[in-house]
Amino acid sequence: MAKIISITNQKGGVGKTTTAINLSAALAEAEQKILLVDFDPQINATVGLGIELSDEDKTVLDAIHNTDKTKNIIIENVVQNLDVLPGSIELSSLETELLSDENKDQALKKAIDTVRDDYDYIIIDCPPAVGIITVNALTASDACIIPVQCEYFSLEGLNQVLAAVELVRSRMNPELKVEGILFTMFDSRTRLAQDVVSEVKNHITEKVFETMIPRNIRLAEAPSNGMTILDYEGSSVGAERYRKLAAEILRDSEV
């Protein structure tokens, strides 16, 4: 049965989708069977993997409406061992649609539970907001990873995300845990980056990953070519760091 991990932060531009794509690819390279769920209306994870959808193609929204069809909607082997449940720009309408549904927090869970036994890990890319879409992802998840950019204003956003996680844990999903806080766009040459890391480690009790993702031009270039960093430039620093992150997660899963 898959371990389900959401990649979430209500702040945009922190490397959330980059992490969802490349962590999925690194776990797949480590011979894990992976499903990446694009649950962000911006569909950046779908586009970033070179998937082109037509108006007739089914998406995660169709899986929610017809949970027994989820398996048929998944695009298999986008990368070896990596399947994708593609996103939909119409996903933003889901919040309004679910308002009157008493089980509104369970919509995504019902869809992916039908394929959970087919995978080792299911990675969910969440939108940069704490609304019903993100709550659905967290309710469906065993854990979440919170990417944090090494900038001052990221600290306030981190506290807000942790508060949202605690709310979901207390009301919908008591088993939800924080897999770890992931520092992204880290530049060891700057005092600010070092200060942000120290501040988080000193004041946040949740786990912080040993691996930090640096600023890296190849990481920015890869999705514009529809590729993971491992396929675009597998020897780059960015690729090696996502392999290290995957190794951390695999090691922690064995404990």
Side-chain angles (χ1 to χ4, degrees), residues 50-73:
I51 298 170
E52 297 182 6
L53 299 175
S54 69
D55 292 339
E56 292 75 32
D57 287 326
K58 302 297 184 183
T59 69
V60 64
L61 193 58
D62 297 287
I64 286 172
H65 291 149
N66 299 280
T67 57
D68 59 329
K69 301 294 185 183
T70 302
K71 192 178 185 72
N72 298 329
I73 296 169

mmCIF file with all atom_site columns, all heavy atoms in Angstrom, residues 50-73:
data_model
loop_
_atom_site.group_PDB
_atom_site.id
_atom_site.type_symbol
_atom_site.label_atom_id
_atom_site.label_alt_id
_atom_site.label_comp_id
_atom_site.label_asym_id
_atom_site.label_entity_id
_atom_site.label_seq_id
_atom_site.pdbx_PDB_ins_code
_atom_site.Cartn_x
_atom_site.Cartn_y
_atom_site.Cartn_z
_atom_site.occupancy
_atom_site.B_iso_or_equiv
_atom_site.pdbx_formal_charge
_atom_site.auth_seq_id
_atom_site.auth_comp_id
_atom_site.auth_asym_id
_atom_site.auth_atom_id
_atom_site.pdbx_PDB_model_num
ATOM 1   N N   . GLY A 1 50 ? 5.915   17.454 -19.621 1.00 0.00 ? 50 GLY A N   1
ATOM 2   C CA  . GLY A 1 50 ? 5.740   17.354 -21.075 1.00 0.00 ? 50 GLY A CA  1
ATOM 3   C C   . GLY A 1 50 ? 4.431   16.737 -21.506 1.00 0.00 ? 50 GLY A C   1
ATOM 4   O O   . GLY A 1 50 ? 4.284   16.319 -22.660 1.00 0.00 ? 50 GLY A O   1
ATOM 5   N N   . ILE A 1 51 ? 3.449   16.686 -20.603 1.00 0.00 ? 51 ILE A N   1
ATOM 6   C CA  . ILE A 1 51 ? 2.151   16.097 -20.936 1.00 0.00 ? 51 ILE A CA  1
ATOM 7   C C   . ILE A 1 51 ? 1.260   17.167 -21.562 1.00 0.00 ? 51 ILE A C   1
ATOM 8   O O   . ILE A 1 51 ? 1.026   18.224 -20.967 1.00 0.00 ? 51 ILE A O   1
ATOM 9   C CB  . ILE A 1 51 ? 1.464   15.524 -19.677 1.00 0.00 ? 51 ILE A CB  1
ATOM 10  C CG1 . ILE A 1 51 ? 2.318   14.417 -19.080 1.00 0.00 ? 51 ILE A CG1 1
ATOM 11  C CG2 . ILE A 1 51 ? 0.068   15.015 -20.004 1.00 0.00 ? 51 ILE A CG2 1
ATOM 12  C CD1 . ILE A 1 51 ? 1.846   13.947 -17.715 1.00 0.00 ? 51 ILE A CD1 1
ATOM 13  N N   . GLU A 1 52 ? 0.781   16.893 -22.757 1.00 0.00 ? 52 GLU A N   1
ATOM 14  C CA  . GLU A 1 52 ? -0.118  17.815 -23.445 1.00 0.00 ? 52 GLU A CA  1
ATOM 15  C C   . GLU A 1 52 ? -1.519  17.226 -23.439 1.00 0.00 ? 52 GLU A C   1
ATOM 16  O O   . GLU A 1 52 ? -1.746  16.125 -23.948 1.00 0.00 ? 52 GLU A O   1
ATOM 17  C CB  . GLU A 1 52 ? 0.356   18.058 -24.880 1.00 0.00 ? 52 GLU A CB  1
ATOM 18  C CG  . GLU A 1 52 ? 1.732   18.721 -24.959 1.00 0.00 ? 52 GLU A CG  1
ATOM 19  C CD  . GLU A 1 52 ? 2.160   18.986 -26.395 1.00 0.00 ? 52 GLU A CD  1
ATOM 20  O OE1 . GLU A 1 52 ? 1.336   18.753 -27.319 1.00 0.00 ? 52 GLU A OE1 1
ATOM 21  O OE2 . GLU A 1 52 ? 3.312   19.411 -26.588 1.00 0.00 ? 52 GLU A OE2 1
ATOM 22  N N   . LEU A 1 53 ? -2.459  17.946 -22.849 1.00 0.00 ? 53 LEU A N   1
ATOM 23  C CA  . LEU A 1 53 ? -3.834  17.464 -22.723 1.00 0.00 ? 53 LEU A CA  1
ATOM 24  C C   . LEU A 1 53 ? -4.733  18.126 -23.746 1.00 0.00 ? 53 LEU A C   1
ATOM 25  O O   . LEU A 1 53 ? -4.636  19.335 -23.981 1.00 0.00 ? 53 LEU A O   1
ATOM 26  C CB  . LEU A 1 53 ? -4.370  17.755 -21.311 1.00 0.00 ? 53 LEU A CB  1
ATOM 27  C CG  . LEU A 1 53 ? -3.635  17.100 -20.137 1.00 0.00 ? 53 LEU A CG  1
ATOM 28  C CD1 . LEU A 1 53 ? -4.227  17.594 -18.828 1.00 0.00 ? 53 LEU A CD1 1
ATOM 29  C CD2 . LEU A 1 53 ? -3.734  15.584 -20.224 1.00 0.00 ? 53 LEU A CD2 1
ATOM 30  N N   . SER A 1 54 ? -5.613  17.347 -24.334 1.00 0.00 ? 54 SER A N   1
ATOM 31  C CA  . SER A 1 54 ? -6.653  17.901 -25.194 1.00 0.00 ? 54 SER A CA  1
ATOM 32  C C   . SER A 1 54 ? -7.928  18.079 -24.373 1.00 0.00 ? 54 SER A C   1
ATOM 33  O O   . SER A 1 54 ? -8.010  17.641 -23.222 1.00 0.00 ? 54 SER A O   1
ATOM 34  C CB  . SER A 1 54 ? -6.929  16.952 -26.371 1.00 0.00 ? 54 SER A CB  1
ATOM 35  O OG  . SER A 1 54 ? -7.556  15.762 -25.903 1.00 0.00 ? 54 SER A OG  1
ATOM 36  N N   . ASP A 1 55 ? -8.923  18.724 -24.952 1.00 0.00 ? 55 ASP A N   1
ATOM 37  C CA  . ASP A 1 55 ? -10.186 18.944 -24.245 1.00 0.00 ? 55 ASP A CA  1
ATOM 38  C C   . ASP A 1 55 ? -10.882 17.632 -23.911 1.00 0.00 ? 55 ASP A C   1
ATOM 39  O O   . ASP A 1 55 ? -11.700 17.567 -22.991 1.00 0.00 ? 55 ASP A O   1
ATOM 40  C CB  . ASP A 1 55 ? -11.125 19.815 -25.091 1.00 0.00 ? 55 ASP A CB  1
ATOM 41  C CG  . ASP A 1 55 ? -10.610 21.239 -25.233 1.00 0.00 ? 55 ASP A CG  1
ATOM 42  O OD1 . ASP A 1 55 ? -9.781  21.646 -24.388 1.00 0.00 ? 55 ASP A OD1 1
ATOM 43  O OD2 . ASP A 1 55 ? -11.015 21.929 -26.188 1.00 0.00 ? 55 ASP A OD2 1
ATOM 44  N N   . GLU A 1 56 ? -10.558 16.578 -24.646 1.00 0.00 ? 56 GLU A N   1
ATOM 45  C CA  . GLU A 1 56 ? -11.215 15.288 -24.444 1.00 0.00 ? 56 GLU A CA  1
ATOM 46  C C   . GLU A 1 56 ? -10.519 14.427 -23.382 1.00 0.00 ? 56 GLU A C   1
ATOM 47  O O   . GLU A 1 56 ? -11.088 13.441 -22.911 1.00 0.00 ? 56 GLU A O   1
ATOM 48  C CB  . GLU A 1 56 ? -11.274 14.490 -25.753 1.00 0.00 ? 56 GLU A CB  1
ATOM 49  C CG  . GLU A 1 56 ? -12.186 15.081 -26.829 1.00 0.00 ? 56 GLU A CG  1
ATOM 50  C CD  . GLU A 1 56 ? -11.591 16.295 -27.518 1.00 0.00 ? 56 GLU A CD  1
ATOM 51  O OE1 . GLU A 1 56 ? -10.353 16.343 -27.657 1.00 0.00 ? 56 GLU A OE1 1
ATOM 52  O OE2 . GLU A 1 56 ? -12.372 17.200 -27.893 1.00 0.00 ? 56 GLU A OE2 1
ATOM 53  N N   . ASP A 1 57 ? -9.310  14.798 -23.017 1.00 0.00 ? 57 ASP A N   1
ATOM 54  C CA  . ASP A 1 57 ? -8.552  13.975 -22.073 1.00 0.00 ? 57 ASP A CA  1
ATOM 55  C C   . ASP A 1 57 ? -9.128  14.080 -20.663 1.00 0.00 ? 57 ASP A C   1
ATOM 56  O O   . ASP A 1 57 ? -9.573  15.149 -20.235 1.00 0.00 ? 57 ASP A O   1
ATOM 57  C CB  . ASP A 1 57 ? -7.083  14.405 -22.046 1.00 0.00 ? 57 ASP A CB  1
ATOM 58  C CG  . ASP A 1 57 ? -6.348  13.987 -23.302 1.00 0.00 ? 57 ASP A CG  1
ATOM 59  O OD1 . ASP A 1 57 ? -6.676  12.918 -23.853 1.00 0.00 ? 57 ASP A OD1 1
ATOM 60  O OD2 . ASP A 1 57 ? -5.448  14.735 -23.735 1.00 0.00 ? 57 ASP A OD2 1
ATOM 61  N N   . LYS A 1 58 ? -9.119  12.974 -19.944 1.00 0.00 ? 58 LYS A N   1
ATOM 62  C CA  . LYS A 1 58 ? -9.620  12.933 -18.578 1.00 0.00 ? 58 LYS A CA  1
ATOM 63  C C   . LYS A 1 58 ? -8.518  13.392 -17.613 1.00 0.00 ? 58 LYS A C   1
ATOM 64  O O   . LYS A 1 58 ? -7.321  13.244 -17.888 1.00 0.00 ? 58 LYS A O   1
ATOM 65  C CB  . LYS A 1 58 ? -10.061 11.514 -18.215 1.00 0.00 ? 58 LYS A CB  1
ATOM 66  C CG  . LYS A 1 58 ? -11.145 10.948 -19.128 1.00 0.00 ? 58 LYS A CG  1
ATOM 67  C CD  . LYS A 1 58 ? -12.430 11.743 -19.064 1.00 0.00 ? 58 LYS A CD  1
ATOM 68  C CE  . LYS A 1 58 ? -13.520 11.105 -19.905 1.00 0.00 ? 58 LYS A CE  1
ATOM 69  N NZ  . LYS A 1 58 ? -14.766 11.913 -19.911 1.00 0.00 ? 58 LYS A NZ  1
ATOM 70  N N   . THR A 1 59 ? -8.946  13.930 -16.476 1.00 0.00 ? 59 THR A N   1
ATOM 71  C CA  . THR A 1 59 ? -8.010  14.489 -15.509 1.00 0.00 ? 59 THR A CA  1
ATOM 72  C C   . THR A 1 59 ? -8.391  14.058 -14.093 1.00 0.00 ? 59 THR A C   1
ATOM 73  O O   . THR A 1 59 ? -9.353  13.312 -13.895 1.00 0.00 ? 59 THR A O   1
ATOM 74  C CB  . THR A 1 59 ? -8.032  16.028 -15.567 1.00 0.00 ? 59 THR A CB  1
ATOM 75  O OG1 . THR A 1 59 ? -9.298  16.486 -15.067 1.00 0.00 ? 59 THR A OG1 1
ATOM 76  C CG2 . THR A 1 59 ? -7.835  16.533 -16.991 1.00 0.00 ? 59 THR A CG2 1
ATOM 77  N N   . VAL A 1 60 ? -7.659  14.601 -13.118 1.00 0.00 ? 60 VAL A N   1
ATOM 78  C CA  . VAL A 1 60 ? -7.944  14.305 -11.718 1.00 0.00 ? 60 VAL A CA  1
ATOM 79  C C   . VAL A 1 60 ? -9.373  14.714 -11.345 1.00 0.00 ? 60 VAL A C   1
ATOM 80  O O   . VAL A 1 60 ? -10.009 14.081 -10.493 1.00 0.00 ? 60 VAL A O   1
ATOM 81  C CB  . VAL A 1 60 ? -6.912  15.004 -10.801 1.00 0.00 ? 60 VAL A CB  1
ATOM 82  C CG1 . VAL A 1 60 ? -7.003  16.525 -10.906 1.00 0.00 ? 60 VAL A CG1 1
ATOM 83  C CG2 . VAL A 1 60 ? -7.067  14.555 -9.361  1.00 0.00 ? 60 VAL A CG2 1
ATOM 84  N N   . LEU A 1 61 ? -9.904  15.730 -11.993 1.00 0.00 ? 61 LEU A N   1
ATOM 85  C CA  . LEU A 1 61 ? -11.272 16.151 -11.709 1.00 0.00 ? 61 LEU A CA  1
ATOM 86  C C   . LEU A 1 61 ? -12.264 15.068 -12.113 1.00 0.00 ? 61 LEU A C   1
ATOM 87  O O   . LEU A 1 61 ? -13.241 14.804 -11.399 1.00 0.00 ? 61 LEU A O   1
ATOM 88  C CB  . LEU A 1 61 ? -11.582 17.462 -12.432 1.00 0.00 ? 61 LEU A CB  1
ATOM 89  C CG  . LEU A 1 61 ? -12.857 18.194 -12.014 1.00 0.00 ? 61 LEU A CG  1
ATOM 90  C CD1 . LEU A 1 61 ? -12.848 18.519 -10.534 1.00 0.00 ? 61 LEU A CD1 1
ATOM 91  C CD2 . LEU A 1 61 ? -13.026 19.475 -12.834 1.00 0.00 ? 61 LEU A CD2 1
ATOM 92  N N   . ASP A 1 62 ? -12.009 14.417 -13.234 1.00 0.00 ? 62 ASP A N   1
ATOM 93  C CA  . ASP A 1 62 ? -12.869 13.303 -13.663 1.00 0.00 ? 62 ASP A CA  1
ATOM 94  C C   . ASP A 1 62 ? -12.735 12.124 -12.701 1.00 0.00 ? 62 ASP A C   1
ATOM 95  O O   . ASP A 1 62 ? -13.714 11.414 -12.446 1.00 0.00 ? 62 ASP A O   1
ATOM 96  C CB  . ASP A 1 62 ? -12.487 12.862 -15.087 1.00 0.00 ? 62 ASP A CB  1
ATOM 97  C CG  . ASP A 1 62 ? -12.723 13.959 -16.107 1.00 0.00 ? 62 ASP A CG  1
ATOM 98  O OD1 . ASP A 1 62 ? -13.892 14.238 -16.427 1.00 0.00 ? 62 ASP A OD1 1
ATOM 99  O OD2 . ASP A 1 62 ? -11.732 14.555 -16.559 1.00 0.00 ? 62 ASP A OD2 1
ATOM 100 N N   . ALA A 1 63 ? -11.539 11.925 -12.165 1.00 0.00 ? 63 ALA A N   1
ATOM 101 C CA  . ALA A 1 63 ? -11.341 10.840 -11.196 1.00 0.00 ? 63 ALA A CA  1
ATOM 102 C C   . ALA A 1 63 ? -12.151 11.087 -9.930  1.00 0.00 ? 63 ALA A C   1
ATOM 103 O O   . ALA A 1 63 ? -12.697 10.150 -9.330  1.00 0.00 ? 63 ALA A O   1
ATOM 104 C CB  . ALA A 1 63 ? -9.859  10.710 -10.862 1.00 0.00 ? 63 ALA A CB  1
ATOM 105 N N   . ILE A 1 64 ? -12.250 12.341 -9.530  1.00 0.00 ? 64 ILE A N   1
ATOM 106 C CA  . ILE A 1 64 ? -13.043 12.678 -8.350  1.00 0.00 ? 64 ILE A CA  1
ATOM 107 C C   . ILE A 1 64 ? -14.528 12.441 -8.611  1.00 0.00 ? 64 ILE A C   1
ATOM 108 O O   . ILE A 1 64 ? -15.259 11.955 -7.747  1.00 0.00 ? 64 ILE A O   1
ATOM 109 C CB  . ILE A 1 64 ? -12.767 14.137 -7.934  1.00 0.00 ? 64 ILE A CB  1
ATOM 110 C CG1 . ILE A 1 64 ? -11.387 14.220 -7.269  1.00 0.00 ? 64 ILE A CG1 1
ATOM 111 C CG2 . ILE A 1 64 ? -13.853 14.672 -7.003  1.00 0.00 ? 64 ILE A CG2 1
ATOM 112 C CD1 . ILE A 1 64 ? -10.924 15.627 -6.988  1.00 0.00 ? 64 ILE A CD1 1
ATOM 113 N N   . HIS A 1 65 ? -14.969 12.758 -9.811  1.00 0.00 ? 65 HIS A N   1
ATOM 114 C CA  . HIS A 1 65 ? -16.387 12.581 -10.147 1.00 0.00 ? 65 HIS A CA  1
ATOM 115 C C   . HIS A 1 65 ? -16.744 11.118 -10.395 1.00 0.00 ? 65 HIS A C   1
ATOM 116 O O   . HIS A 1 65 ? -17.901 10.717 -10.214 1.00 0.00 ? 65 HIS A O   1
ATOM 117 C CB  . HIS A 1 65 ? -16.738 13.417 -11.384 1.00 0.00 ? 65 HIS A CB  1
ATOM 118 C CG  . HIS A 1 65 ? -16.711 14.890 -11.129 1.00 0.00 ? 65 HIS A CG  1
ATOM 119 N ND1 . HIS A 1 65 ? -16.383 15.813 -12.103 1.00 0.00 ? 65 HIS A ND1 1
ATOM 120 C CD2 . HIS A 1 65 ? -16.960 15.602 -10.002 1.00 0.00 ? 65 HIS A CD2 1
ATOM 121 C CE1 . HIS A 1 65 ? -16.451 17.024 -11.588 1.00 0.00 ? 65 HIS A CE1 1
ATOM 122 N NE2 . HIS A 1 65 ? -16.797 16.926 -10.319 1.00 0.00 ? 65 HIS A NE2 1
ATOM 123 N N   . ASN A 1 66 ? -15.750 10.332 -10.816 1.00 0.00 ? 66 ASN A N   1
ATOM 124 C CA  . ASN A 1 66 ? -15.977 8.906  -11.080 1.00 0.00 ? 66 ASN A CA  1
ATOM 125 C C   . ASN A 1 66 ? -14.806 8.118  -10.498 1.00 0.00 ? 66 ASN A C   1
ATOM 126 O O   . ASN A 1 66 ? -13.883 7.728  -11.219 1.00 0.00 ? 66 ASN A O   1
ATOM 127 C CB  . ASN A 1 66 ? -16.086 8.641  -12.590 1.00 0.00 ? 66 ASN A CB  1
ATOM 128 C CG  . ASN A 1 66 ? -17.237 9.380  -13.226 1.00 0.00 ? 66 ASN A CG  1
ATOM 129 O OD1 . ASN A 1 66 ? -18.388 8.972  -13.144 1.00 0.00 ? 66 ASN A OD1 1
ATOM 130 N ND2 . ASN A 1 66 ? -16.926 10.501 -13.881 1.00 0.00 ? 66 ASN A ND2 1
ATOM 131 N N   . THR A 1 67 ? -14.850 7.875  -9.198  1.00 0.00 ? 67 THR A N   1
ATOM 132 C CA  . THR A 1 67 ? -13.696 7.303  -8.521  1.00 0.00 ? 67 THR A CA  1
ATOM 133 C C   . THR A 1 67 ? -13.307 5.930  -9.051  1.00 0.00 ? 67 THR A C   1
ATOM 134 O O   . THR A 1 67 ? -12.130 5.564  -9.028  1.00 0.00 ? 67 THR A O   1
ATOM 135 C CB  . THR A 1 67 ? -13.954 7.209  -7.005  1.00 0.00 ? 67 THR A CB  1
ATOM 136 O OG1 . THR A 1 67 ? -15.136 6.436  -6.767  1.00 0.00 ? 67 THR A OG1 1
ATOM 137 C CG2 . THR A 1 67 ? -14.148 8.589  -6.409  1.00 0.00 ? 67 THR A CG2 1
ATOM 138 N N   . ASP A 1 68 ? -14.270 5.186  -9.565  1.00 0.00 ? 68 ASP A N   1
ATOM 139 C CA  . ASP A 1 68 ? -13.949 3.854  -10.078 1.00 0.00 ? 68 ASP A CA  1
ATOM 140 C C   . ASP A 1 68 ? -13.205 3.917  -11.413 1.00 0.00 ? 68 ASP A C   1
ATOM 141 O O   . ASP A 1 68 ? -12.723 2.898  -11.912 1.00 0.00 ? 68 ASP A O   1
ATOM 142 C CB  . ASP A 1 68 ? -15.223 3.008  -10.220 1.00 0.00 ? 68 ASP A CB  1
ATOM 143 C CG  . ASP A 1 68 ? -16.241 3.633  -11.162 1.00 0.00 ? 68 ASP A CG  1
ATOM 144 O OD1 . ASP A 1 68 ? -16.298 4.873  -11.250 1.00 0.00 ? 68 ASP A OD1 1
ATOM 145 O OD2 . ASP A 1 68 ? -16.994 2.878  -11.807 1.00 0.00 ? 68 ASP A OD2 1
ATOM 146 N N   . LYS A 1 69 ? -13.085 5.113  -11.995 1.00 0.00 ? 69 LYS A N   1
ATOM 147 C CA  . LYS A 1 69 ? -12.395 5.277  -13.274 1.00 0.00 ? 69 LYS A CA  1
ATOM 148 C C   . LYS A 1 69 ? -10.969 5.808  -13.103 1.00 0.00 ? 69 LYS A C   1
ATOM 149 O O   . LYS A 1 69 ? -10.266 6.030  -14.095 1.00 0.00 ? 69 LYS A O   1
ATOM 150 C CB  . LYS A 1 69 ? -13.174 6.252  -14.165 1.00 0.00 ? 69 LYS A CB  1
ATOM 151 C CG  . LYS A 1 69 ? -14.603 5.828  -14.473 1.00 0.00 ? 69 LYS A CG  1
ATOM 152 C CD  . LYS A 1 69 ? -14.644 4.573  -15.321 1.00 0.00 ? 69 LYS A CD  1
ATOM 153 C CE  . LYS A 1 69 ? -16.084 4.229  -15.727 1.00 0.00 ? 69 LYS A CE  1
ATOM 154 N NZ  . LYS A 1 69 ? -16.156 2.978  -16.503 1.00 0.00 ? 69 LYS A NZ  1
ATOM 155 N N   . THR A 1 70 ? -10.544 6.013  -11.873 1.00 0.00 ? 70 THR A N   1
ATOM 156 C CA  . THR A 1 70 ? -9.236  6.622  -11.633 1.00 0.00 ? 70 THR A CA  1
ATOM 157 C C   . THR A 1 70 ? -8.117  5.882  -12.364 1.00 0.00 ? 70 THR A C   1
ATOM 158 O O   . THR A 1 70 ? -7.264  6.505  -13.012 1.00 0.00 ? 70 THR A O   1
ATOM 159 C CB  . THR A 1 70 ? -8.918  6.650  -10.118 1.00 0.00 ? 70 THR A CB  1
ATOM 160 O OG1 . THR A 1 70 ? -9.947  7.385  -9.443  1.00 0.00 ? 70 THR A OG1 1
ATOM 161 C CG2 . THR A 1 70 ? -7.580  7.311  -9.858  1.00 0.00 ? 70 THR A CG2 1
ATOM 162 N N   . LYS A 1 71 ? -8.123  4.573  -12.283 1.00 0.00 ? 71 LYS A N   1
ATOM 163 C CA  . LYS A 1 71 ? -7.053  3.771  -12.895 1.00 0.00 ? 71 LYS A CA  1
ATOM 164 C C   . LYS A 1 71 ? -6.961  4.019  -14.403 1.00 0.00 ? 71 LYS A C   1
ATOM 165 O O   . LYS A 1 71 ? -5.858  4.047  -14.963 1.00 0.00 ? 71 LYS A O   1
ATOM 166 C CB  . LYS A 1 71 ? -7.313  2.285  -12.628 1.00 0.00 ? 71 LYS A CB  1
ATOM 167 C CG  . LYS A 1 71 ? -6.136  1.371  -12.961 1.00 0.00 ? 71 LYS A CG  1
ATOM 168 C CD  . LYS A 1 71 ? -6.475  -0.061 -12.612 1.00 0.00 ? 71 LYS A CD  1
ATOM 169 C CE  . LYS A 1 71 ? -5.294  -0.996 -12.807 1.00 0.00 ? 71 LYS A CE  1
ATOM 170 N NZ  . LYS A 1 71 ? -4.248  -0.812 -11.793 1.00 0.00 ? 71 LYS A NZ  1
ATOM 171 N N   . ASN A 1 72 ? -8.102  4.236  -15.045 1.00 0.00 ? 72 ASN A N   1
ATOM 172 C CA  . ASN A 1 72 ? -8.116  4.443  -16.491 1.00 0.00 ? 72 ASN A CA  1
ATOM 173 C C   . ASN A 1 72 ? -7.659  5.839  -16.898 1.00 0.00 ? 72 ASN A C   1
ATOM 174 O O   . ASN A 1 72 ? -7.301  6.069  -18.056 1.00 0.00 ? 72 ASN A O   1
ATOM 175 C CB  . ASN A 1 72 ? -9.525  4.197  -17.039 1.00 0.00 ? 72 ASN A CB  1
ATOM 176 C CG  . ASN A 1 72 ? -10.001 2.783  -16.807 1.00 0.00 ? 72 ASN A CG  1
ATOM 177 O OD1 . ASN A 1 72 ? -9.199  1.843  -16.783 1.00 0.00 ? 72 ASN A OD1 1
ATOM 178 N ND2 . ASN A 1 72 ? -11.297 2.601  -16.611 1.00 0.00 ? 72 ASN A ND2 1
ATOM 179 N N   . ILE A 1 73 ? -7.697  6.768  -15.947 1.00 0.00 ? 73 ILE A N   1
ATOM 180 C CA  . ILE A 1 73 ? -7.325  8.152  -16.245 1.00 0.00 ? 73 ILE A CA  1
ATOM 181 C C   . ILE A 1 73 ? -5.825  8.366  -16.092 1.00 0.00 ? 73 ILE A C   1
ATOM 182 O O   . ILE A 1 73 ? -5.238  9.242  -16.741 1.00 0.00 ? 73 ILE A O   1
ATOM 183 C CB  . ILE A 1 73 ? -8.122  9.109  -15.325 1.00 0.00 ? 73 ILE A CB  1
ATOM 184 C CG1 . ILE A 1 73 ? -9.614  8.998  -15.635 1.00 0.00 ? 73 ILE A CG1 1
ATOM 185 C CG2 . ILE A 1 73 ? -7.655  10.547 -15.472 1.00 0.00 ? 73 ILE A CG2 1
ATOM 186 C CD1 . ILE A 1 73 ? -10.515 9.689  -14.638 1.00 0.00 ? 73 ILE A CD1 1
#
